Amino acid sequence: MLEDLPEGWAQLIRRAGYRLTRPRQAVLRVLAESEVALTVAEVHRRARARYPRLGLVTVYRTLDLLLNLGLVHRLPGEVGGQLYVRADLHPHGHLLICRSCHRAVEIPCTGLEEMTHEVERQTGFAVQGHWLELFGLCPACQEGTDG
Amino acid sequence: MLEDLPEGWAQLIRRAGYRLTRPRQAVLRVLAESEVALTVAEVHRRARARYPRLGLVTVYRTLDLLLNLGLVHRLPGEVGGQLYVRADLHPHGHLLICRSCHRAVEIPCTGLEEMTHEVERQTGFAVQGHWLELFGLCPACQEGTDG
DNA sequence: CTCCGTATTGAAATCCATTTTCAATTATAC
DNA sequence: GTATAATTGAAAATGGATTTCAATACGGAG
């Protein structure tokens, strides 16, 4: 039942003092299985297939929990719903996202550490983190008819 | 009355077929005068000082208009309100934003064009645009007591 | 300068994502 | 098993953003 969760998710959650309940497992599994960034509503829809009584609120709470544990990324999307993806697929927060299907691909991001230090030197800011997002159309969606 | 607007904003808006009304001027002026990225609510608050009858709806509509004309950037911020800044201050969408005061600084962003082409080659995506955001604390806010 | 047609406005209503509240439920330690 | 504290889901509340529509004001024609 838990074996199809990503490496150590179960332990991490338990160690952090959280219970591994059925609703949570449903949400976890959905995220684990998707390489595509999902809206909250989509996570809810999919997770319901595993646990029909699942409430939307629990989806929000579980996503928040996963976010705090660093297991998922939240993509600061456009107006109308944030997107979530497994963090272990994209450890550095450098993503290429398809505007049509939300497929997310990790970008090999050379030189950003260096650039960060350079920027700190120039501006006096204390940089705490970064987000690099490229967006466009993935190969599959380029073949489709929509623009 | 219009002279303190950034270069050509007035003409651009007129040429695009829009009227330069008092409510719009109020909103324009607020954005023109701020180097800091502003929430919609903050724009509303400040613009009211110039034109008290100004409705929040008009702020949204005007920001949208400016966004379409490319005169402002919308920063895909965290949950709870998007931020807007003059686009001419940050032509490439590479920003360093203070988490405390929302001051936005343009990042000299070398090598990103190259990286984009490289990524397109590797992934087959058609890249349409990008967003690079560093966040941290500006020098002034580092001195403050809050974290 | 005045009049007119039309774009624009603001208030209210609505929409939709997210959060809060709280009684009922359920996972885990004993 | 039982106790107990975390967790859940429904409903209500919140808050950002959008839609609707009658009233208003811009800016060209006269």
Side-chain angles (χ1 to χ4, degrees):
Chain A
M1 195 91 175
L2 299 178
E3 307 85 54
D4 48 339
L5 287 179
E7 282 302 307
W9 277 27
Q11 287 105 325
L12 247 164
I13 290 169
R14 283 242 172 73
R15 296 238 175 84
Y18 298 107
R19 294 180 182 172
L20 204 52
T21 61
R22 283 159 73 17
R24 275 178 188 163
Q25 288 177 38
V27 172
L28 262 54
R29 215 78 60 64
V30 165
L31 282 162
E33 287 173 1
S34 176
E35 293 185 20
V36 175
L38 301 172
T39 62
V40 177
E42 181 62 16
V43 172
H44 186 214
R45 202 183 62 70
R46 296 191 186 187
R48 257 179 198 281
R50 297 177 177 283
Y51 187 74
R53 320 207 282 97
L54 181 69
L56 183 57
V57 198
T58 297
V59 177
Y60 275 104
R61 284 190 281 228
T62 304
L63 288 173
D64 221 50
L65 187 159
L66 291 173
L67 197 62
N68 286 331
L69 292 178
L71 299 179
V72 302
H73 281 313
R74 177 165 61 191
L75 315 191
E78 301 297 299
V79 178
Q82 314 259 322
L83 298 171
Y84 293 81
V85 244
R86 278 176 65 171
D88 58 337
L89 296 179
H90 314 289
H92 298 301
H94 306 150
L95 293 183
L96 173 52
I97 298 159
C98 180
R99 279 194 159 160
S100 174
C101 72
H102 294 164
R103 183 173 310 285
V105 173
E106 175 80 15
I107 301 167
C109 195
T110 44
L112 205 64
E113 308 301 310
E114 252 178 86
M115 184 199 292
T116 298
H117 293 315
E118 180 61 24
V119 166
E120 284 188 314
R121 223 173 299 130
Q122 284 181 16
T123 63
F125 269 65
V127 175
Q128 297 172 331
H130 59 253
W131 189 266
L132 173 61
E133 205 176 304
L134 302 194
F135 35 86
L137 290 178
C138 72
C141 290
Q142 286 175 52
E143 288 172 17
T145 45
D146 76 316
Chain B
M1 195 90 174
L2 300 177
E3 307 85 54
D4 48 338
L5 287 179
E7 283 301 309
W9 277 27
Q11 287 105 325
L12 247 164
I13 290 170
R14 284 242 171 74
R15 296 236 175 86
Y18 299 107
R19 293 180 182 171
L20 204 53
T21 62
R22 284 166 61 25
R24 275 179 188 161
Q25 287 177 38
V27 172
L28 261 55
R29 215 80 59 64
V30 165
L31 282 163
E33 287 173 1
S34 177
E35 293 186 19
V36 175
L38 301 173
T39 61
V40 176
E42 181 61 17
V43 172
H44 187 214
R45 202 184 63 68
R46 295 191 186 188
R48 258 178 197 282
R50 297 176 176 284
Y51 187 75
R53 319 209 282 98
L54 182 68
L56 184 57
V57 198
T58 297
V59 176
Y60 276 105
R61 284 190 281 229
T62 305
L63 288 173
D64 221 49
L65 187 160
L66 291 174
L67 198 62
N68 287 331
L69 291 178
L71 299 178
V72 301
H73 281 313
R74 176 166 61 191
L75 316 191
E78 300 297 298
V79 178
Q82 314 258 322
L83 298 171
Y84 293 81
V85 243
R86 279 176 63 170
D88 58 339
L89 295 179
H90 314 289
H92 299 300
H94 306 150
L95 291 183
L96 174 52
I97 298 159
C98 180
R99 279 195 159 160
S100 175
C101 72
H102 295 164
R103 183 173 310 284
V105 173
E106 175 81 15
I107 301 167
C109 195
T110 44
L112 205 63
E113 310 299 313
E114 251 178 86
M115 183 198 292
T116 298
H117 294 315
E118 180 61 23
V119 166
E120 285 188 313
R121 224 173 298 130
Q122 285 180 16
T123 62
F125 269 65
V127 175
Q128 297 172 331
H130 58 252
W131 188 266
L132 172 61
E133 205 176 304
L134 302 194
F135 36 85
L137 290 178
C138 72
C141 289
Q142 287 174 53
E143 288 172 17
T145 46
D146 76 316

